[in-house]
Amino acid sequence: MKALKRLPLNVRLNDRPDHELVGVIRMPEFTVSPMRSIVKRIIGALLALLATVLIVYADRNGYRDANGDGISFLDAIYYSTVSLSTTGYGDITPATASARLVNVIVITPLRVLFLIVLVGTTLEVLTERSRQAFKIQKWRTKVRDHTVVVGFGTKGRSAVNALLGDEEVKASQIVVVDTDQQALDAATALGLVTVHGSATRADVLRVAGVQHARAVVVAPNRDDTAVLVTLTARELAPKAHIVASVREAENVHLLKQSGANQVVVSSETAGRLLGMATSSPRVVDMVEDLLTPESGLAIAERAIESSEEGGSPRHLPDTVLGVVRDGVLYRVDAPQADALEPGDRLLYVKKVTQVEQIEPDPGR
């Protein structure tokens, strides 16, 4: 199919009507198998033909046959077939006013429906842009409290996988922004809404609905891009929770000043794990297990129950790592976490699936 035309970079996307955003915003498609699509179209064509046959046969006295021997059921099938296919030999014609009126009001729409079914594939391509425009319009009016992921490289994909590992987060609640079409295609394959454009531009982020987002994940390949995206996102979404990734620790303060709530240093984190792996490889295995939400163990957060108020988090059945109170995290051994208070939230180790036994390291 012919590639969709991109809007020039100097155009403010959020000021454009929805039909001009087709190709910028891409809605996930739920594909149907070719055989099922063909069978549905054949059934539709047969139903249109059957309806026409019954209508013609019911009003057979209003038709004139060239042979003059009347209209049989077979003649009704023959007339309906040549009429719907627009062949029209003229040997059977509507003679009375009522038959002609039925042809105009009923048979003609059925003929159009029949042709639409026959050339459905071509019409589907022609109407794709209109369907996308309608879906975009509907999505933009309803999208709220979603997560915008800027950059769908290695870090962005891992972030999306972690989000999808949470049972409360659905694919429809995640929007990916990137300039790489291959990355966007991969995101679309996961059922995510994608926006083609640079997230350093405010209008691109507005199209992604960042002003209504609950959280923003900033994961580009460059630290300077991360700073600019964070600045723009914070200006558009003052209340959103922004998490950013940088390569170098020296840029953390820039992200914090730009409005990031949390900053993850990817190079230092990877370096620490590499260093630990040389002497304590099983520690690295456990850390990776905790960071993989869909299997084994995972770090989760939950609100405390009323029966847990006043008690110590160290006496709970769950393995508690910390207590969040008024937005501040306290480690489980901190004095502030000795007694749980109403409104506290717990960070704990949750068992997702049966933890597999780690095989011995042949090198040790």
Side-chain angles (χ1 to χ4, degrees):
M1 187 172 65
K2 185 178 179 180
L4 294 174
K5 183 180 179 181
R6 301 290 181 194
L7 295 177
L9 293 179
N10 60 351
V11 175
R12 292 179 60 85
L13 299 181
N14 54 294
D15 294 334
R16 290 285 182 172
D18 294 324
H19 69 271
E20 292 190 7
L21 295 177
V22 177
V24 177
I25 300 178
R26 186 174 177 185
M27 308 299 296
E29 294 285 346
F30 302 97
T31 58
V32 180
S33 65
M35 184 58 66
R36 183 177 180 181
S37 179
I38 292 173
V39 170
K40 288 175 63 177
R41 289 172 181 170
I42 291 176
I43 293 175
L46 291 177
L47 289 176
L49 178 60
L50 177 61
T52 307
V53 170
L54 295 178
I55 292 172
V56 172
Y57 187 71
D59 193 26
R60 56 188 178 276
N61 294 329
Y63 289 81
R64 181 176 58 231
D65 188 356
N67 297 328
D69 55 356
I71 304 297
S72 65
F73 187 74
L74 180 60
D75 291 332
I77 296 176
Y78 167 75
Y79 173 78
S80 299
T81 304
V82 299
S83 179
L84 291 183
S85 62
T86 69
T87 305
Y89 293 114
D91 48 350
I92 300 178
T93 57
T96 64
S98 61
R100 291 174 180 175
L101 182 62
V102 169
N103 261 262
V104 172
I105 297 177
V106 181
I107 305 298
T108 298
L110 287 174
R111 182 184 297 114
V112 174
L113 175 63
F114 188 81
L115 292 176
I116 289 175
V117 172
L118 290 182
V119 296
T121 303
T122 303
L123 290 177
E124 183 176 351
V125 173
L126 294 176
T127 59
E128 175 65 22
R129 191 176 185 88
S130 299
R131 293 196 305 111
Q132 280 285 323
F134 176 76
K135 292 175 67 175
I136 289 172
Q137 182 182 25
K138 183 179 179 181
W139 172 77
R140 293 186 71 188
T141 58
K142 292 185 176 182
V143 62
R144 294 292 187 278
D145 297 326
H146 58 296
T147 300
V148 177
V149 178
V150 177
F152 202 65
T154 302
K155 293 177 290 186
R157 295 185 191 205
S158 299
V160 168
N161 289 335
L163 288 170
L164 294 178
D166 188 344
E167 296 179 356
E168 297 181 357
V169 179
K170 300 179 181 179
S172 59
Q173 296 175 293
I174 302 175
V175 181
V176 173
V177 181
D178 207 315
T179 56
D180 186 357
Q181 188 58 53
Q182 290 185 346
L184 295 178
D185 291 341
T188 302
L190 295 176
L192 310 178
V193 177
T194 63
V195 176
H196 186 281
S198 173
T200 59
R201 296 173 52 194
D203 57 336
V204 173
L205 289 179
R206 286 194 182 97
V207 168
V210 73
Q211 64 273 23
H212 304 300
R214 177 186 62 84
V216 181
V217 177
V218 183
N221 294 325
R222 295 169 54 96
D223 287 2
D224 54 349
T225 304
V227 172
L228 185 54
V229 171
T230 303
L231 274 170
T232 308
R234 177 54 70 200
E235 180 183 8
L236 297 175
K239 297 182 180 180
H241 186 80
I242 300 180
V243 182
S245 171
V246 292
R247 293 176 178 270
E248 304 298 334
E250 61 186 17
N251 295 323
V252 171
H253 73 285
L254 295 176
L255 268 299
K256 291 282 189 179
Q257 293 175 1
S258 301
N261 298 97
Q262 291 176 301
V263 181
V264 178
V265 184
S266 57
S267 58
E268 286 199 356
T269 302
R272 291 193 188 98
L273 291 177
L274 289 173
M276 293 168 57
T278 60
S279 57
S280 304
R282 293 306 169 213
V283 175
V284 178
D285 292 336
M286 182 57 65
V287 171
E288 291 182 346
D289 184 24
L290 291 173
L291 294 178
T292 307
E294 64 271 9
S295 62
L297 301 174
I299 300 177
E301 181 178 345
R302 69 171 176 85
I304 66 169
E305 300 176 2
S306 57
S307 59
E308 297 171 341
E309 295 178 4
S312 172
R314 284 171 286 190
H315 297 158
L316 297 178
D318 296 324
T319 303
V320 179
L321 303 177
V323 177
V324 180
R325 180 177 300 150
D326 298 328
V328 180
L329 173 63
Y330 300 101
R331 292 191 325 188
V332 69
D333 58 347
Q336 295 87 341
D338 285 342
L340 296 175
E341 299 179 2
D344 286 350
R345 298 184 65 84
L346 300 179
L347 293 182
Y348 70 103
V349 178
K350 178 176 66 173
K351 183 178 179 181
V352 180
T353 59
Q354 183 67 35
V355 182
E356 297 180 359
Q357 183 176 359
I358 299 176
E359 296 296 331
D361 188 349
R364 291 178 60 87

Coordinates of all heavy atoms in Angstrom, one line a residue, residues 321-326 328-334 336-337:
L321 N 10.1 -4.1 51.8 CA 11.3 -3.4 51.6 C 11.3 -2.0 52.0 O 12.3 -1.4 52.4 CB 11.7 -3.5 50.1 CG 11.8 -4.9 49.4 CD1 12.1 -4.7 48.0 CD2 12.9 -5.7 50.1
G322 N 10.1 -1.4 51.9 CA 10.1 0.0 52.3 C 8.6 0.5 52.5 O 7.7 -0.2 52.1
V323 N 8.5 1.7 53.1 CA 7.1 2.2 53.3 C 7.1 3.6 52.7 O 8.0 4.4 52.9 CB 6.9 2.4 54.9 CG1 5.5 3.1 55.1 CG2 6.9 1.0 55.5
V324 N 6.0 3.9 51.9 CA 5.8 5.2 51.3 C 4.8 5.9 52.1 O 3.7 5.5 52.2 CB 5.4 5.0 49.8 CG1 5.2 6.4 49.2 CG2 6.4 4.2 49.0
R325 N 5.2 7.1 52.6 CA 4.3 7.9 53.4 C 4.4 9.4 52.9 O 5.5 10.0 52.9 CB 4.7 7.8 54.9 CG 3.8 8.7 55.8 CD 4.3 8.5 57.2 NE 4.1 7.1 57.6 CZ 4.9 6.5 58.5 NH1 5.9 7.2 59.1 NH2 4.7 5.2 58.8
D326 N 3.3 9.9 52.5 CA 3.2 11.3 51.9 C 4.2 11.5 50.8 O 4.8 12.6 50.7 CB 3.5 12.3 53.1 CG 2.4 12.2 54.2 OD1 1.3 11.9 53.8 OD2 2.8 12.5 55.3
V328 N 7.1 10.1 50.4 CA 8.5 9.9 50.7 C 8.7 8.4 51.1 O 7.9 7.8 51.7 CB 8.8 10.7 52.0 CG1 10.3 10.5 52.4 CG2 8.6 12.2 51.7
L329 N 9.8 7.8 50.5 CA 10.1 6.4 50.7 C 11.0 6.2 51.9 O 12.1 6.9 52.0 CB 10.7 5.8 49.5 CG 11.3 4.4 49.6 CD1 10.1 3.4 49.9 CD2 12.0 4.0 48.3
Y330 N 10.6 5.4 52.9 CA 11.4 5.0 54.0 C 11.8 3.5 53.9 O 10.9 2.7 53.7 CB 10.7 5.3 55.3 CG 10.3 6.8 55.5 CD1 9.0 7.2 55.3 CD2 11.2 7.7 55.9 CE1 8.6 8.5 55.4 CE2 10.9 9.0 56.1 CZ 9.6 9.4 55.8 OH 9.2 10.7 56.0
R331 N 13.0 3.2 54.1 CA 13.4 1.8 54.2 C 12.8 1.1 55.4 O 12.5 1.8 56.4 CB 14.9 1.7 54.2 CG 15.6 2.1 53.0 CD 17.1 1.7 53.0 NE 17.7 1.8 54.3 CZ 19.0 1.6 54.5 NH1 19.8 1.4 53.5 NH2 19.5 1.7 55.7
V332 N 12.7 -0.2 55.3 CA 11.9 -0.9 56.3 C 12.6 -0.8 57.7 O 12.0 -0.9 58.7 CB 11.8 -2.4 55.9 CG1 13.1 -3.1 55.9 CG2 10.7 -3.1 56.8
D333 N 14.0 -0.5 57.7 CA 14.7 -0.4 58.9 C 14.8 1.0 59.5 O 15.4 1.3 60.5 CB 16.1 -1.0 58.8 CG 16.9 -0.3 57.7 OD1 16.3 0.5 56.9 OD2 18.1 -0.5 57.6
A334 N 14.1 2.0 58.8 CA 14.1 3.4 59.2 C 13.2 3.6 60.4 O 12.2 2.9 60.5 CB 13.7 4.3 58.1
Q336 N 11.1 5.9 61.0 CA 9.8 6.3 60.5 C 8.9 5.1 60.1 O 7.7 5.3 60.0 CB 9.9 7.3 59.4 CG 10.6 8.6 59.7 CD 12.1 8.5 59.6 OE1 12.7 7.4 59.6 NE2 12.8 9.7 59.5
A337 N 9.5 4.0 59.9 CA 8.7 2.8 59.4 C 8.4 1.8 60.5 O 8.0 0.7 60.2 CB 9.5 2.1 58.2

